[in-house]
Amino acid sequence: MKHLTSINDLSRDDALSILEMAREMHDVQRRPVKKLPALRGRTVVNLFFEDSTRTRSSFEIAAKWLSADAINVSAKGSSVSKGESLRDTVRTLDSMGIDAIVMRHPGSGAAQQVRGWVDASVVNAGDGTHEHPTQALLDAYTMGIDVEGKVVSITGDLAHSRVVRSNVLLLQKLGARVVLVAPHTLLPAGVDAWPAEVTTDFDAVLPDVDVCMMLRVQRERMAGGYFPSEREYTALYGLTARRLAKLKPTAVIAHPGPMNRGLEISSAAADDHRSIVLDQVSGGVAVRMSVLYHLLAGNE
Amino acid sequence: MNAEEVSLALTRMAHELVERNRGRDFLLVGIVTRGVPLARRLGAQLGIESHALDITLYRDDLREHPTRRGSRSELPQRIDDKVVVLVDDVLYSGRTVNAALTALADLGRPRRIELVALVDRGHREFPIQADVVGRRIPTAKDERIIVRLAETDGEDAVLIESETR
Amino acid sequence: MNHIISGAMLPDGTITDLFVADGVLVDEAPSGAQTIDAQGLVVLPGLVDMHTHLREPGREDAETVESGTLAAARGGFTAVCAMANTQPVTDTAEKAEHILDLGEQAGHAQVVPIGAISEGLKGERLAELALMHRSRANVRMFSDDGMCLMDAQLMRRALEWVKPFGGLIAQHSQDSQLAGPGACCHESEISGRLGLGGWPPVAEAVIVARDVMLAEATGSRVHVCHISTAEGVDVVRWAKRRGIQVTAEVTPHHLLLGTELLEGYDTTFKVNPPLRTSEHREAIREALIDGTIDVVGTDHAPHAPQDKDHAFVDARPGMLGLEQALAVVMEVAGEELGWGGIADRMSVAPARIAGIAGQGRPLAPGEPANLVLVDPSARAVVDKRESASLSRNNPYDGLDLPDPVRLTMYRGRITHQR
C-alpha cells in the first residue's frame, strides 16, 4: 500500500488492519508520552488548497506523534490564477525529498492525478466532491469497526459530499447495509448503481437503522434551488426530536461535522446519549496515525 | 534443546528471578511474539500475572522489513516505580531489547528493568546483557536459532540451523 | 510546379489521372510536370474544417496559424475556419483581416476567419457582423464558440442581422444554468461516482430547440457546433423535416471516445461538450451517416501543459483533432459513408455551409487543385509526439487507427507528403 486516494485502494483486510491498529494508536493517545518513533526521519507535507483546521491538524498531530516531521503548506487560492499548475506545485515539493503528501483540494480527482506526478505517497484528505477516505475510516472506527450486517443510513447533501462516496465504498467492504436518503435534487447522478439502497423517505428507514449518519447541508444550496427553505428541508430530512424517537434504543447517531444544528440535525439528536459525534473527532488522530504508519513504515 | 530441557531451563530461570528480587514484587513482561508465552510460563511457576509488550512501532529496522501489524501491548495502567522483568526468547544483537527499553521509557519510569532470555547466542551489537539466561549457545553469524514453543508452534524445542547447508 | 497524379481513384470509384497546372486542375498533362504515383490511393477534395482553434493571436505557446495549418495539412485539410475566441477576440473587421493575412503568410491551408457574434464573446451586444463580412476577410460565419449565446433576444437579432448577406450563426449549444462552469463530465453514473460536475444532455437539446425555433422565426440560418447528444440530434432531425435552415456538426472525438475515459481524471480527455456514453455515440454516428448531421468539424483545441496540468475541473477543455479527423471518421463510419459520403461530410458540405469559395469542389478541370490522397488500408498507432501542432493534448495517443493521409495539395502546392 503506497497511496490512499480512494477507499478502492484498500482491500477489506487492509481496511481492517488500519482500523485495528488505530485502536492501538488510540491507546498511545491516552498515555503521558504520546510519541512513537515509528516514522522518525520521515517528512509529511500537509498540502491544503482548502481550509480545514480539523482535518489538517489531526494529520499534523498524527505525523508528529509518529515522530515524522510535519510541514503545513497552505496553497489556498487558485493555483490556476497564480499561473502555476498543480503538477508544478506538487513536483516542486516532491523534489525536496519528502515522503508523503497529505492533500486537500477543491477539485475532484486531484489526489489521484498527483499520484502520477510524484514519488511520495499521496493521502487524500478530501478532493472536491469525490472522496475523503480517512473520514470514512474514522467513521467506521467510531462505529466499532465490526459493522457486518448493520444498517447504516446516510442522509443529507449526498450529491456534494465526498464523505458519502468513501463511506459507501468502505461500509460495503466491511459488510454493512447502506441506505442513502436524500431528495432527488441532492442525490448524485447514477446513484442507483451504487452498492446501497436509495430512498427519498427518511421516516420509513428510521426504525431499522443501527447507525444514523447525518451529513452537512450547506445553506447556500438553497440559492441553487436544491431545496426551498431550511424549514422544508428540516421537515423532510432533518434528524428532529420527533424522528429521534423513532430510532432504536441501540442505534447511534453520527455526523462527520461540522454540524448545522437546527438544519440537518437537532440539538436533541446531537447531544443525545446515542450520539457518537464527539467520538468521531477523538478517533481522528489515531486513524490517521494508523494510515500514515501503513503507508510509510514499510519498505520503500 | 528438547522439550524437557526447555522446561528445566524455565524452572531454573524462575528460581533465579525470585532469588534476584528477594521476594519483592516485579512485573513479568514478555516481548511479542515468543517472549509472551515464556513470560506466561514463568508467571505460572511463580504464581503471578504476566504481561505483553509489542515493540513493532519502536523497531529500528521498520524501513527494511515489510509493515507488520503489531498486536497490542497488555500492560498495567502504571509501571512507574515498578521492577520490570523483560522476557524474550533469543538474545542476539540486542536491538529488540533496546527497542523495548525505549518503549518502556515512553510508558513511564520503572524503578529497575531486568532482562530474561531463554537463549543467549552472542553477537551483541548493543551494550546489553541478560540478567537471567536459560542457556548460552555459542553460534556462528550465519547460523539461525529457532525457538519453537507449544503455544505458537505446537512443540517445545530450540534448534540451530545453518544457512549454508 | 505542375503535377500529374496518376491512377488515383475518385470518390465515385473511377480511376483516373489528374493534371495540375498553376494551381488549377486541367484536362491534359501540363509540360514539365512531376508525376505522383497514386496507384491504390483515393483522391478526395481537400478537407475543410469548420471548427479550428488556432490560438493566434494570444496563445502562440499553444498553437500558431503556422503550426495549426501545418497540422491541418498533415490531416488532409486545405481549409480551416479559425474560431473567434483568440486573445483578442476576432470581433472586428481589422482583427479578421489580420487572421486572414496570417493564414496567407503561412500558406499551408486556407484560413477562413470566423467572427464573434457578440463583442468580446460577452453575450451582451452584437459585434460588427456586417463590417466583418464586408472586409477583405469576407466573414460569413459567426460564432461565440466556447461560450453559448444564452440571450435569446440577442440570438434572434444576430440571425436577423446576418440574414441579408447569407451569414451563418454557429452556436455552442450549452445552457449555462443546466451545465454551468463546473460541468465537466457527461452527467451519468460516472460523473456521480467521480464527483465531477454533471453536464446533462438536456443542456444541449434545449438550446438547439430554442435556436431552431429562432431560425424558423427569422428565416435565417443556424449551425449547431459539436453536437454530442441523441436528444440534440433528434431536435435537428425534427427541424430539418420542418424545413428549418439548420445544419449540424459532429467532432471526431465525440464519434470515437467515451466518457469512461475520464475514470483516471486525465485532463487530456476534458472537452466541452464532454465525451458521452455509447448510446449517444451511436446516435450521432447514425445521424452523420443519414445526413442529419451535415459535417464533421474537428474542434481542434490545442492547450499548453500549464493549462491542462490542473485538477480536472480547473483544466482547460479541448483536445487536438486535425491530424486524426479523417482516420476517426474512416474508423467509425467509413463503410457506411463510403468515399463519397466522407468527401461530402468533410469537404463539400462544410465548404458550402461556411461559404468558402474554391473549396469542397468537384475534382474537375477548372477547379482549384485542393485535394488529398488517401491510403485506404494503412494503419498506425498514434504517437502524440509526432505532431505538427505545438500542443500534445492528443486524445488518440496510443490508439491503433487508420493512417490515411499520404499527400495534401493546396492550390496546386504540396503541403504535406510522406
Side-chain angles (χ1 to χ4, degrees), chain C residues 5-30:
Chain C
I5 299 168
S6 74
M9 187 176 89
L10 292 169
D12 66 8
T14 55
I15 293 180
T16 184
D17 294 344
L18 294 171
F19 309 116
V20 179
D22 302 323
V24 177
L25 290 171
V26 293
D27 55 11
E28 58 187 46

Side-chain angles (χ1 to χ4, degrees), chain A residues 79-80 84-87 105 107-110 112-113 117 129-130 165 188-190 193-194, chain C residues 187-189 191-196 263-265 267 305-306 308-314:
Chain A
S79 62
V80 186
E84 186 176 55
S85 67
L86 178 60
R87 187 168 181 271
H105 196 284
S108 298
Q112 188 175 326
Q113 288 174 280
W117 294 331
T129 55
H130 178 226
R165 287 165 176 79
W194 294 16
Chain C
E187 188 173 288
S188 67
E189 188 271 327
S191 69
R193 182 156 45 80
L194 298 184
L196 292 174
E263 294 266 9
Y265 296 98
T267 58
Q306 67 268 28
K308 278 289 192 184
D309 290 342
H310 294 283
F312 198 88
V313 68
D314 298 329

Side-chain angles (χ1 to χ4, degrees), chain B residues 45-71:
Chain B
Q45 296 211 11
L46 300 169
I48 59 172
E49 229 185 308
S50 68
H51 307 275
L53 178 66
D54 176 43
I55 54 114
T56 311
L57 298 169
Y58 286 86
R59 294 194 71 95
D60 61 4
D61 57 354
L62 263 178
R63 290 196 183 199
E64 288 76 39
H65 290 77
T67 318
R68 287 154 302 185
R69 200 181 76 225
S71 54

Side-chain angles (χ1 to χ4, degrees), chain A:
Chain A
M1 201 188 319
K2 167 147 192 202
H3 304 286
L4 179 60
T5 55
S6 162
I7 290 295
N8 287 323
D9 293 330
L10 303 174
S11 67
R12 180 188 152 88
D13 283 349
D14 292 335
L16 287 172
S17 172
I18 289 172
L19 293 171
E20 275 153 25
M21 180 174 265
R23 279 197 176 129
E24 198 179 344
M25 300 295 187
H26 217 152
D27 291 344
V28 172
Q29 214 171 311
R30 295 186 189 105
R31 63 186 214 190
V33 178
K34 296 180 170 65
K35 246 181 150 86
L36 290 168
L39 299 185
R40 221 169 44 192
R42 303 297 182 112
T43 304
V44 176
V45 170
N46 286 322
L47 178 59
F48 276 58
F49 292 87
E50 243 178 25
D51 281 337
S52 168
T53 311
R54 178 153 51 175
T55 305
R56 186 184 50 68
S57 51
S58 81
F59 268 110
E60 184 180 356
I61 294 168
K64 287 185 168 162
W65 285 355
L66 287 170
S67 302
D69 291 303
I71 287 132
N72 292 321
V73 178
S74 170
K76 224 189 130 209
S78 165
S79 62
V80 186
S81 63
K82 282 186 293 188
E84 186 176 55
S85 67
L86 178 60
R87 187 168 181 271
D88 284 344
T89 304
V90 295
R91 282 170 64 94
T92 303
L93 287 171
D94 195 48
S95 65
M96 294 175 188
I98 59 169
D99 298 288
I101 296 176
V102 175
M103 198 172 101
R104 162 69 62 94
H105 196 284
S108 298
Q112 188 175 326
Q113 288 174 280
V114 168
R115 276 170 77 145
W117 294 331
V118 299
D119 292 329
S121 288
V122 179
V123 182
N124 183 3
D127 62 327
T129 55
H130 178 226
E131 278 209 51
H132 194 356
T134 61
Q135 179 67 47
L137 286 163
L138 170 53
D139 292 343
Y141 177 77
T142 314
M143 291 174 204
I145 302 178
D146 181 16
V147 294
E148 183 97 45
K150 284 191 184 170
V151 178
V152 181
S153 70
I154 306 178
T155 307
D157 182 358
L158 308 186
H160 302 93
S161 168
R162 48 189 166 223
V163 175
V164 72
R165 287 165 176 79
S166 291
N167 260 302
V168 168
L169 293 172
L170 181 61
L171 290 169
Q172 186 216 10
K173 270 188 214 295
L174 299 179
R177 208 182 110 205
V178 183
V179 185
L180 300 176
V181 188
H184 283 294
T185 53
L186 293 175
L187 280 171
V191 71
D192 292 338
W194 294 16
E197 294 156 50
V198 181
T199 177
T200 55
D201 186 352
F202 194 21
D203 288 295
V205 306
L206 284 168
D208 299 325
V209 305
D210 298 301
V211 179
C212 182
M213 186 184 292
M214 306 304 296
L215 297 184
R216 181 180 172 78
V217 174
Q218 293 181 332
R219 292 186 159 84
E220 306 88 77
R221 300 285 176 222
M222 274 185 290
Y226 291 97
F227 58 94
S229 69
E230 291 184 31
R231 194 166 73 141
E232 181 151 332
Y233 182 84
T234 305
L236 270 67
Y237 296 101
L239 188 56
T240 57
R242 181 182 64 79
R243 288 203 173 93
L244 193 58
K246 292 192 185 175
L247 285 175
K248 290 196 276 201
T250 53
V252 296
I253 298 154
H255 192 308
M259 293 185 285
N260 275 317
R261 283 175 185 253
L263 180 51
E264 75 269 2
I265 189 165
S266 61
S267 280
D271 303 330
D272 191 86
H273 67 281
R274 289 168 290 181
S275 164
I276 56 170
V277 173
L278 287 178
D279 304 312
Q280 281 175 283
V281 181
S282 107
V285 174
V287 166
R288 281 156 187 143
M289 282 172 82
S290 181
V291 166
L292 289 176
Y293 178 82
H294 275 78
L295 297 181
L296 298 180
N299 45 350
E300 336 254 279

Side-chain angles (χ1 to χ4, degrees), chain B residues 71-91:
Chain B
S71 54
R72 297 176 83 184
S73 295
E74 288 159 32
L75 284 166
Q77 271 311 81
R78 289 173 57 83
I79 59 168
D80 291 5
D81 293 322
K82 303 263 171 58
V83 174
V84 174
V85 175
L86 284 172
V87 182
D88 205 359
D89 54 349
V90 181
L91 179 58

Side-chain angles (χ1 to χ4, degrees), chain B residues 118-133:
Chain B
L118 180 61
V119 175
D120 180 349
R121 59 164 295 190
H123 303 291
R124 213 75 78 241
E125 293 164 8
F126 278 72
I128 283 169
Q129 300 304 331
D131 300 293
V132 175
V133 172

